[in-house]
Amino acid sequence: MAVFTTGAELAPLTFVVTRADLIRYAGASLDFNPIHWSDRVAVKNGLPGVIAHGMYTMALAARALTTWAGDPAAVTDFSVRFTRPVIVPDDDSGVEVVISGVVKEVAEDGTAQVMVTAVSAGEKVLGQARATVRPGRLLDPAE
Amino acid sequence: MPLNLSYEGHSFPPGEPYLVGREKIREFARAVGADDAAYHDPEAAAALGHPDVIAPPTFPTVLTIPLAARLFAEHPDVGIDFSRIVHGDQRFAYERPVRAGDALVCRPVLEKLSSRAGLDSVSVRTEIVTVEGELVVTSWAKIVARTEA
């Protein structure tokens, strides 16, 4: 099935990240680094304030990938560099992270190479983010 | 303590198995806002060919972050103070999705260590395998620590 076509720009998805999201993610992911919940510790580490877990941003990008693929199991390879922090204010509205993607290549079996861009507060927060995505791979009788 | 470059290529024995539970997958999926039915409902997962609910792609972080924290705490002579680190990069390569019922062990290797310009970095490759020996996912993580006050 042809979910992806080479060169296609994938519809950007916007996620809102609040302090409450980071607290919940810390508990669920078992990453309790205080720079993700304490302004005091974040500032001591040279940051402007609490930042999102890099892995939380990666998880949002993964949501975009599975949404574009229409298959929660489609991602077979995913790599990112954490180039800039997502700064999350202590307010009720949080900060936006916008995930967009471009299909670089599609193989005959439908496997696509996707370049991902993540932007927050006007800055790219992930570098060299690329994924291999194969929609419907487990339903393929050839496997 | 300076980074101990002699650890390059060092592997560590697998720890106790991590038993992947449905509720942990659901909790993680809710925390990242992933509402696909296959992460929550075993029947929906079965309809897609999975034996139980599957985990969102970045779920293996539940194993690898605590693993790294434990390794550097138990082996202080590596020279990484985990309270001062940031995550530089991350890659996962999946043989299949992690799913409820998996009993997983981690096989970490310190692939590359480097120390330059006030930054120490360690690249950790971790094979995550079932207790039966099936490779499920491989993780590569670069951990960076500032060495200046």
Side-chain angles (χ1 to χ4, degrees), chain B residues 49-122:
Chain B
H50 308 289
D52 206 318
V53 295
I54 59 169
T58 63
F59 182 84
T61 189
V62 169
L63 283 77
T64 54
I65 296 245
L67 169 77
R70 183 170 56 77
L71 275 188
F72 295 126
E74 288 179 356
H75 302 274
D77 55 320
V78 176
I80 288 287
D81 175 357
F82 205 71
S83 71
R84 297 174 58 85
I85 62 103
V86 293
H87 200 162
D89 60 40
Q90 177 68 48
R91 176 184 172 203
F92 294 116
Y94 308 89
E95 304 301 318
R96 64 162 172 82
V98 172
R99 60 190 177 228
D102 280 339
L104 301 173
V105 293
C106 292
R107 296 175 178 160
V109 181
L110 304 188
E111 270 194 333
K112 190 169 178 355
L113 284 77
S114 78
S115 186
R116 65 169 73 91
L119 288 177
D120 287 345
S121 75
V122 179

Side-chain angles (χ1 to χ4, degrees), chain A residues 28 63 76-78 80 82 138, chain B residues 32 50 88 90-92 94:
Chain A
R63 272 180 66 192
T76 62
D77 199 306
F78 187 22
V80 305
F82 303 108
L138 293 184
Chain B
V32 300
H50 308 289
Q90 177 68 48
R91 176 184 172 203
F92 294 116
Y94 308 89

Side-chain angles (χ1 to χ4, degrees), chain A residues 20-69:
Chain A
D21 294 324
L22 300 188
I23 298 294
R24 187 158 72 161
Y25 181 77
S29 70
L30 310 178
D31 183 345
F32 297 103
N33 188 330
I35 61 173
H36 306 304
W37 49 267
S38 164
D39 280 313
R40 178 179 55 84
V41 176
V43 167
K44 210 167 76 181
N45 279 273
L47 297 163
V50 160
I51 64 167
H53 305 72
M55 291 304 299
Y56 185 78
T57 305
M58 190 179 187
L60 298 180
R63 272 180 66 192
L65 289 164
T66 55
T67 301
W68 292 324

